[in-house]
Amino acid sequence: MKKIYIILTYTGTILSKIVKVYTRKEYSHVSISLDEDLTKMYSFGRLYPYNPFLGGFVHEGLDRGTFKRFKKTKTKIYSLEISEEKYDKIEEIIQSVQSKKNAYKFNLIGLLAISLGVKIKREKCFYCAEFVKYLLEQSEVVELPDMVKPEDFEKVNGLSEVYRGILKEYNTNNN
């Protein structure tokens, strides 16, 4: 068995505030990590910390990119045990997307449509929750709602909360 990590965050950016208003939930972004130290965090979001308009596939880090800029980012981190085969499948999909990352776009239209209760799926376009859902469903870990939001990941069976607090203060030695 191996563990993956589901990371819910709230940075306080304008987009995260908009998402928070329509979901009425504490967290507005979701990422996935393949390691406890969160050195390999993946999602769809801002490509550049100071430019909210350009988005796509991102390899996030605790102290780089958007999370470096927004030092007070709030988080809730969960672990989930899965088989090695499912872990390997997730890793394979991530590597495939990463190798063709310029072909993928941020699904802003789809994100805005979800707030209206409408599903708009575009090829090679994801918002954060769509991407993590895609990984988990393609690797047969779990099925999630068609119109997925970050808070839907908290309902996945088998999750264990690892940490809650400021993302920058997350330290595997203290958990």
Side-chain angles (χ1 to χ4, degrees), residues 94-110:
I94 288 170
Q95 288 174 358
S96 174
V97 171
Q98 190 166 23
S99 71
K100 304 171 198 146
K101 67 182 178 184
N102 292 335
Y104 289 85
K105 304 295 177 214
F106 185 80
N107 190 6
L108 183 60
I109 293 168

Side-chain angles (χ1 to χ4, degrees), residues 9-10 15-29 111 114-116 127-129 147-152 154-155:
T9 53
Y10 175 73
L15 184 57
S16 69
K17 288 177 182 176
I18 291 169
V19 171
K20 192 173 181 175
V21 164
Y22 91 81
T23 63
R24 295 183 197 95
K25 300 294 180 184
E26 188 173 0
Y27 302 98
S28 57
H29 181 69
L111 180 62
I114 291 294
S115 69
L116 302 171
Y127 58 87
C128 63
M147 291 191 287
V148 69
K149 299 179 279 306
E151 67 267 17
D152 293 324
E154 293 187 280
K155 300 170 192 158

Side-chain angles (χ1 to χ4, degrees), residues 2-63:
K2 288 196 157 196
K3 286 186 181 179
I4 59 171
Y5 297 83
I6 305 295
I7 305 99
L8 299 174
T9 53
Y10 175 73
T11 58
T13 64
I14 291 170
L15 184 57
S16 69
K17 288 177 182 176
I18 291 169
V19 171
K20 192 173 181 175
V21 164
Y22 91 81
T23 63
R24 295 183 197 95
K25 300 294 180 184
E26 188 173 0
Y27 302 98
S28 57
H29 181 69
V30 63
S31 308
I32 190 168
S33 180
L34 304 179
D35 63 287
E36 185 181 23
D37 293 336
L38 308 184
T39 55
K40 298 176 183 175
M41 291 170 52
Y42 303 97
S43 192
F44 269 68
R46 289 178 183 223
L47 292 173
Y48 308 102
Y50 290 93
N51 185 338
F53 302 107
L54 292 177
F57 175 76
V58 289
H59 179 185
E60 301 168 318
L62 294 175
D63 199 23

Side-chain angles (χ1 to χ4, degrees), residues 23-167:
T23 63
R24 295 183 197 95
K25 300 294 180 184
E26 188 173 0
Y27 302 98
S28 57
H29 181 69
V30 63
S31 308
I32 190 168
S33 180
L34 304 179
D35 63 287
E36 185 181 23
D37 293 336
L38 308 184
T39 55
K40 298 176 183 175
M41 291 170 52
Y42 303 97
S43 192
F44 269 68
R46 289 178 183 223
L47 292 173
Y48 308 102
Y50 290 93
N51 185 338
F53 302 107
L54 292 177
F57 175 76
V58 289
H59 179 185
E60 301 168 318
L62 294 175
D63 199 23
R64 66 183 230 207
T66 299
F67 295 140
K68 180 177 182 178
R69 177 170 180 223
F70 296 95
K71 296 175 182 2
K72 302 274 188 208
T73 296
K74 293 178 5 182
T75 192
K76 194 186 296 184
I77 302 168
Y78 294 98
S79 67
L80 179 65
E81 274 197 19
I82 61 173
S83 70
E84 287 197 38
E85 294 80 21
K86 291 177 182 186
Y87 181 96
D88 291 344
K89 182 66 175 173
I90 289 171
E91 193 170 43
E92 177 186 313
I93 295 167
I94 288 170
Q95 288 174 358
S96 174
V97 171
Q98 190 166 23
S99 71
K100 304 171 198 146
K101 67 182 178 184
N102 292 335
Y104 289 85
K105 304 295 177 214
F106 185 80
N107 190 6
L108 183 60
I109 293 168
L111 180 62
L112 296 174
I114 291 294
S115 69
L116 302 171
V118 176
K119 171 76 175 161
I120 295 178
K121 178 64 184 137
R122 299 166 54 213
E123 191 172 326
K124 294 194 177 186
C125 283
F126 294 103
Y127 58 87
C128 63
E130 275 183 320
F131 177 66
V132 177
K133 169 189 159 95
Y134 175 75
L135 291 174
L136 296 179
E137 288 185 348
Q138 291 298 305
S139 58
E140 299 179 357
V141 172
V142 68
E143 285 194 34
L144 288 148
D146 205 32
M147 291 191 287
V148 69
K149 299 179 279 306
E151 67 267 17
D152 293 324
F153 294 91
E154 293 187 280
K155 300 170 192 158
V156 171
N157 287 333
L159 284 184
S160 296
E161 187 176 317
V162 173
Y163 175 79
R164 184 188 308 213
I166 302 299
L167 182 62

